[in-house]
Amino acid sequence: MDFHEKSYVDDVLVPVRTGWSPHRNYFRVYRLPPHARRAEVDAALADLPARWGTPELRVHAVACERLHACHSKATAVLSDPAARARHREFVEREHQALVEVVRHRLHGAPALTRDDVAAVVRVAGGRWSTPDVLAALHAVGATVREPVPLPRVSRPQRWAALREHLADLPHDSLWEYLSRTPELRGADTTSAEVETRRQRLRVSRDRASDAERAVLALVRLWAAAPGGLSAALAHDLLAELAAATVCGYQAVRDLASPQRCAATLSSDPEAVSYAVWCAREEAAWTEAYFAAVDAHRLPAALDLLESRPLPESWARVRDGLRARLDRLYASLAQARGAADPEDAAARYLAIGRELTDPAVDEGLLRCPASAPAAVSATVDGAAVVVDWRPSPSTAGNIGYQVRHGATLLAEEATAPFVDLEAPAGVPLIYTVTALRDGVPGGTTAAEPVAVLPEVTDLRLVTEPGVVFGRWTLPPGASRAVVRRTDSDVPADETGFTDRNVEPGTAYTYRVLVEYAALRSPGIDVRVVCLGEPDAVTDLRAVAAGDVVDLTWTPPRGDEVEIRLLTGPEAAPGGVVRLDQAALAGPVVATSRCGRVRVPAADLAGGRTLVPVTVSGPVATIGTPATVDVSSVEVTGLRALRLGPQVQLSWHWPAWAREVLVVWRHGGPLAGPDDPAAHRWRVSRTAYLSRGARLNAAEAGSHWFGVCVVGDGRLGPLATVESPCPVQLRYRLHGRARTFAVEVECDADLPDVVVLGKEARRPLDPGDGVVLATVPGGQRAGRAEFTVPAELRGPVHLRAFALDDSMWVCHPDPRDLVVR
């Protein structure tokens, strides 16, 4: 079954996420044809749920969860022929409803555009998908087709006058007049021919002659320009076709004659008709009108409507727009005379939401917003937080502009505003200006502040009898000052060295930064001068599932690293330099509290761990410990019945290299040493290469258990029960195409059917032709049958019990073939 993720997302997942119920069309959800075969249904029910978890579809998590929730109901409906037929009838009724919708939308047209198809899908709210619409189009004999691009033909000069003059003539279009009038030759009419016709009309003095002379004057005007007459005829054709769209597609097609299209647009009449039909709701002047309204250029929109004849509906729009402009201009006059600035601003803003006019902008400049009531500036590290109370002005969109000195920090800011680039070591005065719809108003200033950044990357390192300090000075700083217990410690730009210390004694250092005329508050750091670290001698490592619990007695004040020992010689013991301790192995955990949990995966199969007590540049290597795996339990134990055998599977715990498998028949296991049980040791290598399969053909239940063998002890026993199903046996006797089947069972027989199938073996009770039925109710049964002649050889025979709990023992497949 072909599967395309994008179409499945568009046709199924997006509608399900937005509210469409999957129960309305299981064929659509599982990508099945309405008359799908059983094999197709089974394949779709097995394949689609697995795809719902793929990365391409998992991003639509809500839809996939809904599909998973209805999968059981879908399986019940699609797997049952009767339920599937009822569901198919419902889907076909939905299809017929869509066919009527598509037929109405076509209105006689031969096709829909892709946008029209998408519109049907969108308006339906998920009820129909794109393939459903395409199928409905096919049902009514239509297709999906995009229109050919029509040339953009501008409106000829004085076109409205031509339409008025043609009304006094027995012709409905310019093409008809040029084609049916003597002396004129349609699109090939020349200025000389126009003059000849005009001379013949000089003797006539009636309304029709006057109108025709006016038409000839316009034709001569257009014919004088290169391609002008053809452009006028093209506009004439397109306008007439556009007007005919109200009568349906066939009316448009009847007007688009091959001669007229060839002479004006040089295109196929069918293509021209379809292009005009698709563009029936588009008009340049309506686009210009709506663009002007969207931009609030109402005078321009009114001029656009007043410049052309309008139908009644558009005439009402024009009159409404005229009244709206009168109301807005009256409001503008009231705003100019308002005494309260807030009232005037509110009026101007209300007018500006409907009308774009320079008078509105000028009026807002005369009504500035009031300044914020209070402004504060607070230093937070290297940044300044500027906060303020809102302006009392309420009319319009009140915003705020933030500056320090002449530097603009934010054109539109919200309180609080954070200045992350404030210059260090200098006084700063921040001001906040209120804005009304972007127009500046009153300004309020905060008290001066100064940003005094502290040193960065401050590190204090201790060794026995010495303390080292290192840092990075911030930009603009002069130097750093270090104090310890109210006395200064000599320091340079990057750090200090203090040797006047005692091991095991705590000291507090304050590091301050000096600027040109200011000093920072400083940073306090407390350290303890180091002595020799104590060794850990009681490390204990116990495996617990997928983690290892490590415990020890924590040494006072020092951090302990747990390293994965690479070899016995890598842990010499005693006090060593820190770089020598790193040779013991990689660090898997660190702690000061004497307890830590490590994922077993981080140990990469290793079991020996060593504690290393770290104190500055030195370390003490403690006593190694081996991970105790005797308490680890096997997880995920499963027993899969494979006829007379059982396939065992489980998850191997970390470090486990061998397990003990015990099993018995007739009762639960009493433990790994159950005297009635059988035993079998399985190595990890053997399990990965051959698995673990046991014979268990006795009727009744079998119990199986697995426990880890580690360090001479057995771990906890995980158990699972596997019942042995009742066995049913049969054999066939006969020759040629006449056979007898004999069936026997350890219990009362269920109904048994014998199936036949050409070329392949039947796989289930529904996969083939039923040749015989043995009724149930007793321990043995017999039936005779004949293989029909219409089943051509080789015909494969097979018997099936109509009870899924029975285990059918089939004879040798070679004895079940009829040639």
Side-chain angles (χ1 to χ4, degrees):
M1 178 179 64
D2 293 334
F3 185 82
H4 302 285
E5 286 83 2
K6 184 179 186 307
S7 64
Y8 192 78
V9 168
D10 295 339
D11 299 340
V12 178
L13 295 186
V14 171
V16 168
R17 179 176 58 80
T18 55
W20 178 71
S21 173
H23 298 293
R24 294 185 64 87
N25 194 338
Y26 292 135
F27 298 105
R28 171 176 164 189
V29 171
Y30 291 90
R31 314 305 270 179
L32 289 168
H35 295 278
R37 299 190 301 275
R38 176 63 183 269
E40 293 176 317
V41 171
D42 293 342
L45 290 174
D47 179 66
L48 264 297
R51 294 184 183 273
W52 297 336
T54 60
E56 293 82 5
L57 303 185
R58 195 167 55 238
V59 295
H60 302 273
V62 174
C64 290
E65 289 174 2
R66 290 177 180 168
L67 293 179
H68 277 296
C70 76
H71 180 63
S72 59
K73 176 65 175 177
T75 302
V77 172
L78 294 177
S79 299
D80 180 45
R84 186 166 70 247
R86 290 192 298 271
H87 186 63
R88 181 166 52 248
E89 291 175 0
F90 172 80
V91 172
E92 288 177 352
R93 288 196 299 271
E94 288 287 285
H95 171 69
Q96 290 303 320
L98 177 58
V99 168
E100 294 304 318
V101 170
V102 169
R103 183 179 286 112
H104 176 74
R105 195 174 187 93
L106 285 169
H107 202 172
L112 290 179
T113 65
R114 287 190 294 269
D115 291 340
D116 290 337
V117 172
V120 174
V121 174
R122 182 174 60 256
V123 173
R127 180 179 179 183
W128 296 303
S129 65
T130 299
D132 296 335
V133 179
L134 298 180
L137 280 171
H138 179 74
V140 299
T143 61
V144 176
R145 192 205 314 169
E146 296 302 314
V148 299
L150 293 176
R152 292 190 173 274
V153 181
S154 60
R155 183 187 180 94
Q157 296 179 2
R158 301 179 61 188
W159 183 258
L162 174 73
R163 302 300 305 168
E164 293 178 3
H165 297 314
L166 286 176
D168 295 325
L169 298 176
H171 302 292
D172 295 329
S173 65
L174 178 61
W175 169 264
E176 185 178 339
Y177 169 74
L178 294 176
S179 300
R180 298 182 180 179
T181 301
E183 292 95 28
L184 303 181
R185 294 186 301 116
D188 297 327
T189 300
T190 63
S191 299
E193 293 167 345
V194 171
E195 183 61 22
T196 302
R197 178 65 181 173
R198 193 180 69 83
Q199 292 296 331
R200 292 190 58 179
L201 292 174
R202 292 180 62 184
V203 297
S204 301
R205 288 291 183 269
D206 55 16
R207 185 179 182 87
S209 300
D210 294 339
E212 187 173 358
R213 281 192 292 270
V215 169
L216 289 171
L218 293 174
V219 170
R220 184 172 54 186
L221 171 67
W222 296 328
L229 185 57
S230 295
L233 289 171
H235 179 80
D236 180 47
L237 173 60
L238 294 177
E240 190 171 1
L241 294 179
T245 57
V246 298
C247 300
Y249 178 79
Q250 192 56 45
V252 179
R253 181 63 185 87
D254 292 341
L255 283 176
S257 63
Q259 298 82 2
R260 193 171 179 184
C261 292
T264 56
L265 299 174
S266 299
S267 184
D268 176 58
E270 183 69 34
V272 172
S273 302
Y274 185 68
V276 172
W277 174 256
C278 293
R280 61 190 180 278
E281 298 178 357
E282 298 178 3
W285 70 269
T286 56
E287 293 180 5
Y289 166 78
F290 286 117
V293 171
D294 291 341
H296 298 165
R297 295 182 290 105
L298 301 187
L302 182 60
D303 292 342
L304 195 63
L305 295 181
E306 289 180 338
S307 64
R308 58 178 36 81
L310 298 174
E312 182 180 354
S313 59
W314 277 101
R316 289 195 298 269
V317 173
R318 178 199 58 204
D319 296 340
L321 182 58
R322 187 183 294 119
R324 181 182 176 188
L325 271 174
D326 293 342
R327 173 179 59 80
L328 291 174
Y329 285 136
S331 298
L332 194 60
Q334 293 175 358
R336 291 192 187 98
D340 182 11
E342 287 299 307
D343 179 36
R347 292 177 181 272
Y348 281 122
L349 291 170
I351 297 169
R353 285 190 289 270
E354 299 184 62
L355 177 65
T356 299
D357 194 290
V360 175
D361 299 332
E362 294 173 0
L364 286 175
L365 290 175
R366 296 193 298 271
C367 306
S370 301
V375 176
S376 64
T378 306
V379 177
D380 183 5
V384 177
V385 180
V386 183
D387 202 356
W388 58 89
R389 291 205 299 270
S391 166
S393 297
T394 57
N397 181 20
I398 303 299
Y400 301 93
Q401 189 182 84
V402 180
R403 295 174 178 268
H404 69 64
T407 303
L408 176 64
L409 301 179
E411 186 67 39
E412 288 282 346
T414 57
F417 171 79
V418 180
D419 183 9
L420 299 175
E421 298 180 357
V426 296
L428 301 172
I429 299 177
Y430 287 85
T431 59
V432 179
T433 302
L435 308 174
R436 192 198 308 274
D437 279 32
V439 178
T443 299
T444 303
E447 294 294 327
V449 295
V451 176
L452 305 172
E454 305 289 353
V455 295
T456 57
D457 303 325
L458 176 61
R459 305 176 304 281
L460 296 187
V461 181
T462 67
E463 295 182 5
V466 64
V467 176
F468 300 97
R470 294 292 180 268
W471 58 72
T472 301
L473 278 177
S478 301
R479 67 187 183 99
V481 177
V482 181
R483 291 181 177 176
R484 191 196 79 193
T485 316
D486 297 331
S487 62
D488 289 347
V489 177
D492 56 25
E493 292 184 357
T494 60
F496 70 90
T497 300
D498 188 4
R499 300 185 181 277
N500 189 22
V501 292
E502 295 293 333
T505 304
Y507 297 94
T508 300
Y509 292 86
R510 173 171 291 185
V511 182
L512 308 94
V513 179
E514 282 192 354
Y515 294 89
L518 301 170
R519 177 178 288 183
S520 71
I523 302 175
D524 289 340
V525 183
R526 187 175 184 274
V527 297
V528 177
C529 186
L530 295 180
E532 291 187 354
D534 297 329
V536 175
T537 59
D538 58 352
L539 176 65
R540 186 169 182 269
V542 179
D546 293 334
V547 298
V548 177
D549 287 325
L550 303 172
T551 56
W552 65 89
T553 301
R556 183 174 60 89
D558 290 326
E559 184 178 63
V560 175
E561 295 178 346
I562 306 298
R563 293 180 176 268
L564 185 63
L565 192 62
T566 56
E569 70 284 352
V575 179
V576 297
R577 295 195 315 273
L578 189 59
D579 56 348
Q580 292 178 326
L583 300 177
V587 178
V588 295
T590 59
S591 175
R592 292 180 180 272
C593 64
R595 183 178 182 85
V596 72
R597 176 167 287 185
V598 179
D602 292 352
L603 301 185
R607 292 182 57 190
T608 304
L609 303 171
V610 61
V612 178
T613 306
V614 179
S615 180
V618 297
T620 300
I621 299 177
T623 304
T626 302
V627 177
D628 183 2
V629 299
S630 61
S631 61
V632 179
E633 182 178 3
V634 170
T635 60
L637 178 60
R638 295 179 58 193
L640 176 63
R641 172 63 64 174
L642 300 174
Q645 295 184 331
V646 173
Q647 177 78 41
L648 295 179
S649 62
W650 61 84
H651 299 304
W652 283 80
W655 307 289
R657 293 293 177 265
E658 188 179 32
V659 299
L660 177 65
V661 179
V662 295
W663 73 96
R664 64 173 294 179
H665 170 253
L669 291 164
D673 53 354
D674 189 336
H678 303 278
R679 294 168 181 78
W680 177 32
R681 288 205 174 201
V682 180
S683 67
R684 193 173 194 140
T685 302
Y687 175 87
L688 295 176
S689 61
R690 299 188 298 274
R693 182 176 294 190
L694 302 170
N695 290 323
E698 298 89 344
S701 294
H702 294 74
W703 279 264
F704 302 88
V706 180
C707 61
V708 174
V709 178
D711 299 333
R713 291 184 294 177
L714 298 178
L717 184 67
T719 61
V720 65
E721 179 186 1
S722 176
C724 183
V726 177
Q727 298 182 13
L728 184 150
R729 297 168 294 279
Y730 71 94
R731 56 184 176 274
L732 297 175
H733 305 284
R735 61 181 180 177
R737 288 182 171 255
T738 301
F739 294 90
V741 59
E742 295 180 357
V743 185
E744 60 180 13
C745 184
D746 298 335
D748 289 344
L749 281 172
D751 290 344
V752 177
V753 295
V754 179
L755 303 183
K757 186 176 181 180
E758 295 179 356
R760 294 184 180 180
R761 287 187 299 165
L763 299 179
D764 57 62
D767 186 22
V769 178
V770 177
L771 303 179
T773 302
V774 179
Q778 52 189 352
R779 294 297 180 96
R782 176 185 171 87
E784 296 182 355
F785 64 93
T786 301
V787 179
E790 53 266 22
L791 290 179
R792 299 180 179 179
V795 178
H796 293 260
L797 305 178
R798 215 173 188 197
F800 293 93
L802 298 183
D803 183 351
D804 294 339
S805 65
M806 290 290 179
W807 169 27
V808 180
C809 298
H810 298 281
D812 190 327
R814 293 173 293 183
D815 298 335
L816 301 177
V817 180
V818 179
R819 300 294 179 182

